[in-house]
Structures are given as C-alpha cells and as structure tokens.
PDB file of all heavy atoms in Angstrom:
ATOM      1  N   HIS A  11       0.848  -1.199   0.000  1.00  0.00           N
ATOM      2  CA  HIS A  11       0.000   0.000   0.000  1.00  0.00           C
ATOM      3  C   HIS A  11       0.885   1.251   0.000  1.00  0.00           C
ATOM      4  O   HIS A  11       0.684   2.209   0.755  1.00  0.00           O
ATOM      5  CB  HIS A  11      -0.930   0.003   1.218  1.00  0.00           C
ATOM      6  CG  HIS A  11      -2.195   0.793   1.001  1.00  0.00           C
ATOM      7  ND1 HIS A  11      -2.280   2.151   1.265  1.00  0.00           N
ATOM      8  CD2 HIS A  11      -3.415   0.434   0.540  1.00  0.00           C
ATOM      9  CE1 HIS A  11      -3.498   2.587   0.984  1.00  0.00           C
ATOM     10  NE2 HIS A  11      -4.211   1.559   0.528  1.00  0.00           N
ATOM     11  N   ILE A  12       1.868   1.258  -0.895  1.00  0.00           N
ATOM     12  CA  ILE A  12       2.881   2.313  -0.883  1.00  0.00           C
ATOM     13  C   ILE A  12       2.426   3.528  -1.675  1.00  0.00           C
ATOM     14  O   ILE A  12       1.540   3.452  -2.525  1.00  0.00           O
ATOM     15  CB  ILE A  12       4.219   1.792  -1.458  1.00  0.00           C
ATOM     16  CG1 ILE A  12       4.061   1.415  -2.935  1.00  0.00           C
ATOM     17  CG2 ILE A  12       4.741   0.621  -0.643  1.00  0.00           C
ATOM     18  CD1 ILE A  12       5.365   1.120  -3.644  1.00  0.00           C
ATOM     19  N   ARG A  13       3.061   4.631  -1.417  1.00  0.00           N
ATOM     20  CA  ARG A  13       2.828   5.848  -2.193  1.00  0.00           C
ATOM     21  C   ARG A  13       3.682   5.802  -3.457  1.00  0.00           C
ATOM     22  O   ARG A  13       4.864   5.482  -3.403  1.00  0.00           O
ATOM     23  CB  ARG A  13       3.154   7.085  -1.361  1.00  0.00           C
ATOM     24  CG  ARG A  13       2.199   7.261  -0.182  1.00  0.00           C
ATOM     25  CD  ARG A  13       2.361   8.612   0.486  1.00  0.00           C
ATOM     26  NE  ARG A  13       1.357   8.800   1.536  1.00  0.00           N
ATOM     27  CZ  ARG A  13       0.134   9.243   1.331  1.00  0.00           C
ATOM     28  NH1 ARG A  13      -0.261   9.560   0.109  1.00  0.00           N
ATOM     29  NH2 ARG A  13      -0.715   9.395   2.330  1.00  0.00           N
ATOM     30  N   LEU A  14       3.053   6.107  -4.582  1.00  0.00           N
ATOM     31  CA  LEU A  14       3.733   6.059  -5.871  1.00  0.00           C
ATOM     32  C   LEU A  14       4.158   7.435  -6.363  1.00  0.00           C
ATOM     33  O   LEU A  14       4.858   7.549  -7.361  1.00  0.00           O
ATOM     34  CB  LEU A  14       2.826   5.410  -6.921  1.00  0.00           C
ATOM     35  CG  LEU A  14       2.383   3.976  -6.635  1.00  0.00           C
ATOM     36  CD1 LEU A  14       1.320   3.538  -7.634  1.00  0.00           C
ATOM     37  CD2 LEU A  14       3.580   3.035  -6.673  1.00  0.00           C
ATOM     38  N   GLY A  15       3.745   8.478  -5.661  1.00  0.00           N
ATOM     39  CA  GLY A  15       3.933   9.825  -6.176  1.00  0.00           C
ATOM     40  C   GLY A  15       5.340  10.371  -6.060  1.00  0.00           C
ATOM     41  O   GLY A  15       5.706  11.290  -6.796  1.00  0.00           O
ATOM     42  N   ASP A  16       6.147   9.816  -5.135  1.00  0.00           N
ATOM     43  CA  ASP A  16       7.471  10.414  -4.934  1.00  0.00           C
ATOM     44  C   ASP A  16       8.526   9.849  -5.886  1.00  0.00           C
ATOM     45  O   ASP A  16       9.672  10.291  -5.890  1.00  0.00           O
ATOM     46  CB  ASP A  16       7.930  10.245  -3.488  1.00  0.00           C
ATOM     47  CG  ASP A  16       8.100   8.777  -3.090  1.00  0.00           C
ATOM     48  OD1 ASP A  16       7.932   7.892  -3.958  1.00  0.00           O
ATOM     49  OD2 ASP A  16       8.385   8.511  -1.904  1.00  0.00           O
ATOM     50  N   GLY A  17       8.149   8.846  -6.708  1.00  0.00           N
ATOM     51  CA  GLY A  17       9.079   8.318  -7.696  1.00  0.00           C
ATOM     52  C   GLY A  17      10.261   7.559  -7.109  1.00  0.00           C
ATOM     53  O   GLY A  17      11.307   7.442  -7.758  1.00  0.00           O
ATOM     54  N   ASN A  18      10.132   7.037  -5.895  1.00  0.00           N
ATOM     55  CA  ASN A  18      11.213   6.251  -5.288  1.00  0.00           C
ATOM     56  C   ASN A  18      11.283   4.895  -5.992  1.00  0.00           C
ATOM     57  O   ASN A  18      10.593   3.944  -5.634  1.00  0.00           O
ATOM     58  CB  ASN A  18      10.941   6.072  -3.792  1.00  0.00           C
ATOM     59  CG  ASN A  18      12.068   5.348  -3.074  1.00  0.00           C
ATOM     60  OD1 ASN A  18      12.748   4.491  -3.645  1.00  0.00           O
ATOM     61  ND2 ASN A  18      12.252   5.689  -1.812  1.00  0.00           N
ATOM     62  N   MET A  19      12.145   4.812  -7.012  1.00  0.00           N
ATOM     63  CA  MET A  19      12.139   3.639  -7.878  1.00  0.00           C
ATOM     64  C   MET A  19      12.621   2.377  -7.154  1.00  0.00           C
ATOM     65  O   MET A  19      12.151   1.284  -7.446  1.00  0.00           O
ATOM     66  CB  MET A  19      12.993   3.899  -9.119  1.00  0.00           C
ATOM     67  CG  MET A  19      12.402   4.954 -10.055  1.00  0.00           C
ATOM     68  SD  MET A  19      10.702   4.561 -10.544  1.00  0.00           S
ATOM     69  CE  MET A  19      10.945   2.988 -11.363  1.00  0.00           C
ATOM     70  N   THR A  20      13.544   2.521  -6.223  1.00  0.00           N
ATOM     71  CA  THR A  20      14.023   1.342  -5.492  1.00  0.00           C
ATOM     72  C   THR A  20      12.870   0.688  -4.749  1.00  0.00           C
ATOM     73  O   THR A  20      12.672  -0.537  -4.801  1.00  0.00           O
ATOM     74  CB  THR A  20      15.137   1.740  -4.515  1.00  0.00           C
ATOM     75  OG1 THR A  20      16.227   2.314  -5.249  1.00  0.00           O
ATOM     76  CG2 THR A  20      15.637   0.527  -3.739  1.00  0.00           C
ATOM     77  N   ARG A  21      12.083   1.519  -4.055  1.00  0.00           N
ATOM     78  CA  ARG A  21      10.957   0.977  -3.296  1.00  0.00           C
ATOM     79  C   ARG A  21       9.870   0.446  -4.230  1.00  0.00           C
ATOM     80  O   ARG A  21       9.296  -0.631  -3.992  1.00  0.00           O
ATOM     81  CB  ARG A  21      10.380   2.048  -2.369  1.00  0.00           C
ATOM     82  CG  ARG A  21       9.295   1.492  -1.443  1.00  0.00           C
ATOM     83  CD  ARG A  21       8.697   2.546  -0.532  1.00  0.00           C
ATOM     84  NE  ARG A  21       7.883   3.488  -1.282  1.00  0.00           N
ATOM     85  CZ  ARG A  21       8.133   4.789  -1.367  1.00  0.00           C
ATOM     86  NH1 ARG A  21       9.181   5.300  -0.754  1.00  0.00           N
ATOM     87  NH2 ARG A  21       7.345   5.587  -2.071  1.00  0.00           N
ATOM     88  N   ILE A  22       9.565   1.184  -5.281  1.00  0.00           N
ATOM     89  CA  ILE A  22       8.494   0.770  -6.202  1.00  0.00           C
ATOM     90  C   ILE A  22       8.837  -0.551  -6.877  1.00  0.00           C
ATOM     91  O   ILE A  22       7.992  -1.449  -7.001  1.00  0.00           O
ATOM     92  CB  ILE A  22       8.238   1.880  -7.241  1.00  0.00           C
ATOM     93  CG1 ILE A  22       7.599   3.098  -6.551  1.00  0.00           C
ATOM     94  CG2 ILE A  22       7.340   1.380  -8.369  1.00  0.00           C
ATOM     95  CD1 ILE A  22       7.501   4.334  -7.421  1.00  0.00           C
ATOM     96  N   GLN A  23      10.083  -0.713  -7.299  1.00  0.00           N
ATOM     97  CA  GLN A  23      10.474  -1.959  -7.964  1.00  0.00           C
ATOM     98  C   GLN A  23      10.437  -3.132  -6.997  1.00  0.00           C
ATOM     99  O   GLN A  23       9.928  -4.212  -7.329  1.00  0.00           O
ATOM    100  CB  GLN A  23      11.863  -1.804  -8.566  1.00  0.00           C
ATOM    101  CG  GLN A  23      11.903  -0.874  -9.770  1.00  0.00           C
ATOM    102  CD  GLN A  23      13.315  -0.636 -10.284  1.00  0.00           C
ATOM    103  OE1 GLN A  23      14.264  -1.268  -9.850  1.00  0.00           O
ATOM    104  NE2 GLN A  23      13.455   0.294 -11.220  1.00  0.00           N
ATOM    105  N   ALA A  24      10.969  -2.940  -5.794  1.00  0.00           N
ATOM    106  CA  ALA A  24      10.967  -4.037  -4.810  1.00  0.00           C
ATOM    107  C   ALA A  24       9.536  -4.420  -4.442  1.00  0.00           C
ATOM    108  O   ALA A  24       9.196  -5.606  -4.314  1.00  0.00           O
ATOM    109  CB  ALA A  24      11.751  -3.621  -3.571  1.00  0.00           C
ATOM    110  N   ASP A  25       8.681  -3.425  -4.274  1.00  0.00           N
ATOM    111  CA  ASP A  25       7.291  -3.684  -3.903  1.00  0.00           C
ATOM    112  C   ASP A  25       6.562  -4.437  -5.018  1.00  0.00           C
ATOM    113  O   ASP A  25       5.815  -5.394  -4.753  1.00  0.00           O
ATOM    114  CB  ASP A  25       6.588  -2.362  -3.609  1.00  0.00           C
ATOM    115  CG  ASP A  25       5.133  -2.549  -3.219  1.00  0.00           C
ATOM    116  OD1 ASP A  25       4.283  -2.626  -4.135  1.00  0.00           O
ATOM    117  OD2 ASP A  25       4.859  -2.629  -2.014  1.00  0.00           O
ATOM    118  N   THR A  26       6.776  -4.016  -6.270  1.00  0.00           N
ATOM    119  CA  THR A  26       6.088  -4.665  -7.393  1.00  0.00           C
ATOM    120  C   THR A  26       6.525  -6.114  -7.537  1.00  0.00           C
ATOM    121  O   THR A  26       5.700  -7.015  -7.766  1.00  0.00           O
ATOM    122  CB  THR A  26       6.353  -3.886  -8.696  1.00  0.00           C
ATOM    123  OG1 THR A  26       5.957  -2.522  -8.513  1.00  0.00           O
ATOM    124  CG2 THR A  26       5.588  -4.489  -9.858  1.00  0.00           C
ATOM    125  N   GLU A  27       7.835  -6.348  -7.407  1.00  0.00           N
ATOM    126  CA  GLU A  27       8.328  -7.726  -7.496  1.00  0.00           C
ATOM    127  C   GLU A  27       7.712  -8.590  -6.406  1.00  0.00           C
ATOM    128  O   GLU A  27       7.352  -9.756  -6.635  1.00  0.00           O
ATOM    129  CB  GLU A  27       9.851  -7.733  -7.392  1.00  0.00           C
ATOM    130  CG  GLU A  27      10.547  -7.146  -8.610  1.00  0.00           C
ATOM    131  CD  GLU A  27      12.038  -6.949  -8.396  1.00  0.00           C
ATOM    132  OE1 GLU A  27      12.555  -7.384  -7.336  1.00  0.00           O
ATOM    133  OE2 GLU A  27      12.688  -6.359  -9.292  1.00  0.00           O
ATOM    134  N   ARG A  28       7.580  -8.017  -5.229  1.00  0.00           N
ATOM    135  CA  ARG A  28       7.016  -8.781  -4.115  1.00  0.00           C
ATOM    136  C   ARG A  28       5.536  -9.063  -4.352  1.00  0.00           C
ATOM    137  O   ARG A  28       5.040 -10.153  -4.027  1.00  0.00           O
ATOM    138  CB  ARG A  28       7.218  -8.000  -2.817  1.00  0.00           C
ATOM    139  CG  ARG A  28       7.158  -8.866  -1.579  1.00  0.00           C
ATOM    140  CD  ARG A  28       7.739  -8.131  -0.407  1.00  0.00           C
ATOM    141  NE  ARG A  28       7.725  -8.978   0.780  1.00  0.00           N
ATOM    142  CZ  ARG A  28       8.125  -8.573   1.976  1.00  0.00           C
ATOM    143  NH1 ARG A  28       8.590  -7.351   2.136  1.00  0.00           N
ATOM    144  NH2 ARG A  28       8.070  -9.392   3.017  1.00  0.00           N
ATOM    145  N   TRP A  29       4.792  -8.074  -4.888  1.00  0.00           N
ATOM    146  CA  TRP A  29       3.381  -8.311  -5.187  1.00  0.00           C
ATOM    147  C   TRP A  29       3.242  -9.427  -6.221  1.00  0.00           C
ATOM    148  O   TRP A  29       2.417 -10.340  -6.059  1.00  0.00           O
ATOM    149  CB  TRP A  29       2.700  -7.036  -5.702  1.00  0.00           C
ATOM    150  CG  TRP A  29       1.205  -7.183  -5.772  1.00  0.00           C
ATOM    151  CD1 TRP A  29       0.313  -6.849  -4.804  1.00  0.00           C
ATOM    152  CD2 TRP A  29       0.432  -7.744  -6.842  1.00  0.00           C
ATOM    153  NE1 TRP A  29      -0.970  -7.171  -5.197  1.00  0.00           N
ATOM    154  CE2 TRP A  29      -0.933  -7.721  -6.450  1.00  0.00           C
ATOM    155  CE3 TRP A  29       0.755  -8.264  -8.089  1.00  0.00           C
ATOM    156  CZ2 TRP A  29      -1.961  -8.196  -7.263  1.00  0.00           C
ATOM    157  CZ3 TRP A  29      -0.278  -8.748  -8.912  1.00  0.00           C
ATOM    158  CH2 TRP A  29      -1.613  -8.704  -8.502  1.00  0.00           C
ATOM    159  N   LEU A  30       4.025  -9.369  -7.273  1.00  0.00           N
ATOM    160  CA  LEU A  30       3.932 -10.394  -8.310  1.00  0.00           C
ATOM    161  C   LEU A  30       4.277 -11.775  -7.749  1.00  0.00           C
ATOM    162  O   LEU A  30       3.655 -12.778  -8.111  1.00  0.00           O
ATOM    163  CB  LEU A  30       4.851 -10.048  -9.479  1.00  0.00           C
ATOM    164  CG  LEU A  30       4.452  -8.804 -10.283  1.00  0.00           C
ATOM    165  CD1 LEU A  30       5.567  -8.429 -11.260  1.00  0.00           C
ATOM    166  CD2 LEU A  30       3.145  -9.029 -11.032  1.00  0.00           C
ATOM    167  N   ASP A  31       5.253 -11.826  -6.845  1.00  0.00           N
ATOM    168  CA  ASP A  31       5.681 -13.109  -6.281  1.00  0.00           C
ATOM    169  C   ASP A  31       4.676 -13.669  -5.279  1.00  0.00           C
ATOM    170  O   ASP A  31       4.348 -14.858  -5.321  1.00  0.00           O
ATOM    171  CB  ASP A  31       7.044 -12.930  -5.599  1.00  0.00           C
ATOM    172  CG  ASP A  31       7.534 -14.214  -4.955  1.00  0.00           C
ATOM    173  OD1 ASP A  31       7.603 -15.244  -5.651  1.00  0.00           O
ATOM    174  OD2 ASP A  31       7.833 -14.209  -3.740  1.00  0.00           O
ATOM    175  N   GLU A  32       4.153 -12.830  -4.396  1.00  0.00           N
ATOM    176  CA  GLU A  32       3.316 -13.333  -3.310  1.00  0.00           C
ATOM    177  C   GLU A  32       1.825 -13.293  -3.615  1.00  0.00           C
ATOM    178  O   GLU A  32       1.066 -14.105  -3.091  1.00  0.00           O
ATOM    179  CB  GLU A  32       3.601 -12.545  -2.026  1.00  0.00           C
ATOM    180  CG  GLU A  32       5.011 -12.768  -1.501  1.00  0.00           C
ATOM    181  CD  GLU A  32       5.233 -12.139  -0.136  1.00  0.00           C
ATOM    182  OE1 GLU A  32       4.239 -11.750   0.521  1.00  0.00           O
ATOM    183  OE2 GLU A  32       6.403 -12.027   0.276  1.00  0.00           O
ATOM    184  N   VAL A  33       1.396 -12.339  -4.454  1.00  0.00           N
ATOM    185  CA  VAL A  33      -0.025 -12.202  -4.758  1.00  0.00           C
ATOM    186  C   VAL A  33      -0.315 -12.629  -6.197  1.00  0.00           C
ATOM    187  O   VAL A  33      -1.199 -13.456  -6.446  1.00  0.00           O
ATOM    188  CB  VAL A  33      -0.511 -10.749  -4.516  1.00  0.00           C
ATOM    189  CG1 VAL A  33      -2.012 -10.647  -4.773  1.00  0.00           C
ATOM    190  CG2 VAL A  33      -0.176 -10.300  -3.101  1.00  0.00           C
ATOM    191  N   GLY A  34       0.448 -12.081  -7.139  1.00  0.00           N
ATOM    192  CA  GLY A  34       0.229 -12.443  -8.535  1.00  0.00           C
ATOM    193  C   GLY A  34       0.373 -13.932  -8.792  1.00  0.00           C
ATOM    194  O   GLY A  34      -0.324 -14.497  -9.642  1.00  0.00           O
ATOM    195  N   SER A  35       1.250 -14.582  -8.039  1.00  0.00           N
ATOM    196  CA  SER A  35       1.429 -16.025  -8.215  1.00  0.00           C
ATOM    197  C   SER A  35       0.184 -16.803  -7.795  1.00  0.00           C
ATOM    198  O   SER A  35       0.014 -17.962  -8.183  1.00  0.00           O
ATOM    199  CB  SER A  35       2.635 -16.506  -7.396  1.00  0.00           C
ATOM    200  OG  SER A  35       2.432 -16.269  -6.005  1.00  0.00           O
ATOM    201  N   LEU A  36      -0.693 -16.187  -7.019  1.00  0.00           N
ATOM    202  CA  LEU A  36      -1.937 -16.828  -6.591  1.00  0.00           C
ATOM    203  C   LEU A  36      -3.125 -16.426  -7.462  1.00  0.00           C
ATOM    204  O   LEU A  36      -3.911 -17.271  -7.882  1.00  0.00           O
ATOM    205  CB  LEU A  36      -2.234 -16.484  -5.132  1.00  0.00           C
ATOM    206  CG  LEU A  36      -1.330 -17.137  -4.084  1.00  0.00           C
ATOM    207  CD1 LEU A  36      -1.524 -16.485  -2.725  1.00  0.00           C
ATOM    208  CD2 LEU A  36      -1.603 -18.634  -3.997  1.00  0.00           C
ATOM    209  N   VAL A  37      -3.262 -15.143  -7.738  1.00  0.00           N
ATOM    210  CA  VAL A  37      -4.467 -14.676  -8.444  1.00  0.00           C
ATOM    211  C   VAL A  37      -4.287 -14.660  -9.958  1.00  0.00           C
ATOM    212  O   VAL A  37      -5.265 -14.527 -10.698  1.00  0.00           O
ATOM    213  CB  VAL A  37      -4.900 -13.274  -7.958  1.00  0.00           C
ATOM    214  CG1 VAL A  37      -5.165 -13.290  -6.461  1.00  0.00           C
ATOM    215  CG2 VAL A  37      -3.871 -12.200  -8.316  1.00  0.00           C
ATOM    216  N   GLY A  38      -3.057 -14.787 -10.433  1.00  0.00           N
ATOM    217  CA  GLY A  38      -2.821 -14.780 -11.868  1.00  0.00           C
ATOM    218  C   GLY A  38      -2.503 -13.386 -12.388  1.00  0.00           C
ATOM    219  O   GLY A  38      -2.476 -12.401 -11.657  1.00  0.00           O
ATOM    220  N   GLU A  39      -2.247 -13.317 -13.679  1.00  0.00           N
ATOM    221  CA  GLU A  39      -1.886 -12.043 -14.298  1.00  0.00           C
ATOM    222  C   GLU A  39      -3.043 -11.048 -14.230  1.00  0.00           C
ATOM    223  O   GLU A  39      -4.208 -11.426 -14.298  1.00  0.00           O
ATOM    224  CB  GLU A  39      -1.495 -12.265 -15.764  1.00  0.00           C
ATOM    225  CG  GLU A  39      -0.206 -13.044 -15.941  1.00  0.00           C
ATOM    226  CD  GLU A  39       0.180 -13.168 -17.406  1.00  0.00           C
ATOM    227  OE1 GLU A  39      -0.533 -12.609 -18.266  1.00  0.00           O
ATOM    228  OE2 GLU A  39       1.204 -13.813 -17.680  1.00  0.00           O
ATOM    229  N   THR A  40      -2.700  -9.789 -14.091  1.00  0.00           N
ATOM    230  CA  THR A  40      -3.697  -8.726 -14.127  1.00  0.00           C
ATOM    231  C   THR A  40      -3.110  -7.522 -14.842  1.00  0.00           C
ATOM    232  O   THR A  40      -1.901  -7.277 -14.767  1.00  0.00           O
ATOM    233  CB  THR A  40      -4.159  -8.322 -12.721  1.00  0.00           C
ATOM    234  OG1 THR A  40      -5.127  -7.270 -12.831  1.00  0.00           O
ATOM    235  CG2 THR A  40      -3.002  -7.835 -11.864  1.00  0.00           C
ATOM    236  N   LYS A  41      -3.973  -6.774 -15.512  1.00  0.00           N
ATOM    237  CA  LYS A  41      -3.561  -5.537 -16.167  1.00  0.00           C
ATOM    238  C   LYS A  41      -4.012  -4.308 -15.392  1.00  0.00           C
ATOM    239  O   LYS A  41      -3.803  -3.183 -15.842  1.00  0.00           O
ATOM    240  CB  LYS A  41      -4.147  -5.484 -17.584  1.00  0.00           C
ATOM    241  CG  LYS A  41      -3.607  -6.561 -18.508  1.00  0.00           C
ATOM    242  CD  LYS A  41      -4.176  -6.440 -19.909  1.00  0.00           C
ATOM    243  CE  LYS A  41      -3.592  -7.506 -20.835  1.00  0.00           C
ATOM    244  NZ  LYS A  41      -4.120  -7.402 -22.211  1.00  0.00           N
ATOM    245  N   ILE A  42      -4.608  -4.520 -14.212  1.00  0.00           N
ATOM    246  CA  ILE A  42      -5.237  -3.426 -13.479  1.00  0.00           C
ATOM    247  C   ILE A  42      -4.403  -3.065 -12.252  1.00  0.00           C
ATOM    248  O   ILE A  42      -4.068  -3.931 -11.440  1.00  0.00           O
ATOM    249  CB  ILE A  42      -6.660  -3.795 -13.022  1.00  0.00           C
ATOM    250  CG1 ILE A  42      -7.425  -4.526 -14.136  1.00  0.00           C
ATOM    251  CG2 ILE A  42      -7.392  -2.557 -12.554  1.00  0.00           C
ATOM    252  CD1 ILE A  42      -7.636  -3.740 -15.389  1.00  0.00           C
ATOM    253  N   LEU A  43      -4.071  -1.777 -12.125  1.00  0.00           N
ATOM    254  CA  LEU A  43      -3.375  -1.269 -10.947  1.00  0.00           C
ATOM    255  C   LEU A  43      -4.217  -0.161 -10.324  1.00  0.00           C
ATOM    256  O   LEU A  43      -4.587   0.806 -10.995  1.00  0.00           O
ATOM    257  CB  LEU A  43      -1.998  -0.717 -11.320  1.00  0.00           C
ATOM    258  CG  LEU A  43      -1.206  -0.080 -10.170  1.00  0.00           C
ATOM    259  CD1 LEU A  43      -0.853  -1.126  -9.115  1.00  0.00           C
ATOM    260  CD2 LEU A  43       0.068   0.587 -10.696  1.00  0.00           C
ATOM    261  N   PHE A  44      -4.534  -0.319  -9.037  1.00  0.00           N
ATOM    262  CA  PHE A  44      -5.297   0.672  -8.285  1.00  0.00           C
ATOM    263  C   PHE A  44      -4.321   1.419  -7.379  1.00  0.00           C
ATOM    264  O   PHE A  44      -3.671   0.819  -6.528  1.00  0.00           O
ATOM    265  CB  PHE A  44      -6.376  -0.012  -7.444  1.00  0.00           C
ATOM    266  CG  PHE A  44      -7.390  -0.777  -8.266  1.00  0.00           C
ATOM    267  CD1 PHE A  44      -7.245  -2.140  -8.499  1.00  0.00           C
ATOM    268  CD2 PHE A  44      -8.485  -0.133  -8.813  1.00  0.00           C
ATOM    269  CE1 PHE A  44      -8.172  -2.850  -9.253  1.00  0.00           C
ATOM    270  CE2 PHE A  44      -9.425  -0.821  -9.569  1.00  0.00           C
ATOM    271  CZ  PHE A  44      -9.267  -2.177  -9.787  1.00  0.00           C
ATOM    272  N   TYR A  45      -4.218   2.734  -7.566  1.00  0.00           N
ATOM    273  CA  TYR A  45      -3.249   3.520  -6.815  1.00  0.00           C
ATOM    274  C   TYR A  45      -3.605   3.565  -5.330  1.00  0.00           C
ATOM    275  O   TYR A  45      -4.711   4.002  -4.974  1.00  0.00           O
ATOM    276  CB  TYR A  45      -3.200   4.961  -7.314  1.00  0.00           C
ATOM    277  CG  TYR A  45      -2.809   5.159  -8.760  1.00  0.00           C
ATOM    278  CD1 TYR A  45      -3.219   6.307  -9.443  1.00  0.00           C
ATOM    279  CD2 TYR A  45      -2.017   4.236  -9.449  1.00  0.00           C
ATOM    280  CE1 TYR A  45      -2.858   6.530 -10.761  1.00  0.00           C
ATOM    281  CE2 TYR A  45      -1.659   4.445 -10.770  1.00  0.00           C
ATOM    282  CZ  TYR A  45      -2.085   5.592 -11.421  1.00  0.00           C
ATOM    283  OH  TYR A  45      -1.728   5.817 -12.729  1.00  0.00           O
ATOM    284  N   PRO A  46      -2.697   3.182  -4.439  1.00  0.00           N
ATOM    285  CA  PRO A  46      -2.937   3.405  -3.007  1.00  0.00           C
ATOM    286  C   PRO A  46      -3.052   4.904  -2.715  1.00  0.00           C
ATOM    287  O   PRO A  46      -2.322   5.720  -3.296  1.00  0.00           O
ATOM    288  CB  PRO A  46      -1.686   2.814  -2.351  1.00  0.00           C
ATOM    289  CG  PRO A  46      -1.149   1.838  -3.358  1.00  0.00           C
ATOM    290  CD  PRO A  46      -1.464   2.432  -4.691  1.00  0.00           C
ATOM    291  N   HIS A  47      -3.975   5.251  -1.855  1.00  0.00           N
ATOM    292  CA  HIS A  47      -4.240   6.649  -1.490  1.00  0.00           C
ATOM    293  C   HIS A  47      -4.687   7.474  -2.697  1.00  0.00           C
ATOM    294  O   HIS A  47      -4.784   8.709  -2.599  1.00  0.00           O
ATOM    295  CB  HIS A  47      -2.999   7.312  -0.874  1.00  0.00           C
ATOM    296  CG  HIS A  47      -2.284   6.467   0.127  1.00  0.00           C
ATOM    297  ND1 HIS A  47      -2.739   6.280   1.417  1.00  0.00           N
ATOM    298  CD2 HIS A  47      -1.137   5.723   0.023  1.00  0.00           C
ATOM    299  CE1 HIS A  47      -1.911   5.483   2.064  1.00  0.00           C
ATOM    300  NE2 HIS A  47      -0.941   5.124   1.248  1.00  0.00           N
ATOM    301  N   GLY A  48      -4.946   6.842  -3.838  1.00  0.00           N
ATOM    302  CA  GLY A  48      -5.276   7.588  -5.045  1.00  0.00           C
ATOM    303  C   GLY A  48      -4.109   8.373  -5.613  1.00  0.00           C
ATOM    304  O   GLY A  48      -4.283   9.203  -6.516  1.00  0.00           O
ATOM    305  N   GLU A  49      -2.904   8.114  -5.125  1.00  0.00           N
ATOM    306  CA  GLU A  49      -1.725   8.926  -5.475  1.00  0.00           C
ATOM    307  C   GLU A  49      -1.117   8.458  -6.793  1.00  0.00           C
ATOM    308  O   GLU A  49      -0.741   7.303  -6.946  1.00  0.00           O
ATOM    309  CB  GLU A  49      -0.697   8.843  -4.355  1.00  0.00           C
ATOM    310  CG  GLU A  49       0.457   9.791  -4.518  1.00  0.00           C
ATOM    311  CD  GLU A  49       1.351   9.782  -3.295  1.00  0.00           C
ATOM    312  OE1 GLU A  49       0.953  10.362  -2.261  1.00  0.00           O
ATOM    313  OE2 GLU A  49       2.428   9.184  -3.359  1.00  0.00           O
ATOM    314  N   ARG A  50      -0.978   9.389  -7.731  1.00  0.00           N
ATOM    315  CA  ARG A  50      -0.555   9.065  -9.090  1.00  0.00           C
ATOM    316  C   ARG A  50       0.957   8.883  -9.176  1.00  0.00           C
ATOM    317  O   ARG A  50       1.707   9.633  -8.545  1.00  0.00           O
ATOM    318  CB  ARG A  50      -1.026  10.155 -10.053  1.00  0.00           C
ATOM    319  CG  ARG A  50      -2.533  10.353 -10.009  1.00  0.00           C
ATOM    320  CD  ARG A  50      -3.010  11.537 -10.831  1.00  0.00           C
ATOM    321  NE  ARG A  50      -4.428  11.781 -10.593  1.00  0.00           N
ATOM    322  CZ  ARG A  50      -5.416  11.118 -11.195  1.00  0.00           C
ATOM    323  NH1 ARG A  50      -5.139  10.186 -12.081  1.00  0.00           N
ATOM    324  NH2 ARG A  50      -6.672  11.382 -10.910  1.00  0.00           N
ATOM    325  N   PRO A  51       1.434   7.925  -9.975  1.00  0.00           N
ATOM    326  CA  PRO A  51       2.883   7.724 -10.122  1.00  0.00           C
ATOM    327  C   PRO A  51       3.563   9.002 -10.591  1.00  0.00           C
ATOM    328  O   PRO A  51       3.039   9.733 -11.440  1.00  0.00           O
ATOM    329  CB  PRO A  51       2.983   6.631 -11.183  1.00  0.00           C
ATOM    330  CG  PRO A  51       1.680   5.919 -11.132  1.00  0.00           C
ATOM    331  CD  PRO A  51       0.661   6.951 -10.761  1.00  0.00           C
TER     332      PRO A  51
END
C-alpha cells in the first residue's frame, strides 16, 4: 500500500516484485493497478 507519487524507484520496484511473487502467483496475471491513497505515479 505504498505511495507512488514520490518516484522512489528502489521501493516501487521491490514492492512490485514482491506483489507479483506473493499475490500475482496466486491470483494470476492482471492488467489493473489501483493507486494506493489515489496517489498518481
């Protein structure tokens, strides 16, 4: 549930990899991303 607006690429990349590994591996591929806090990348 991270903020995407500050452009912290190290955190964003690590978080995305973790989501794909722990969540995406269960629910399957998705093309939909919902911004936490509504905050735009």
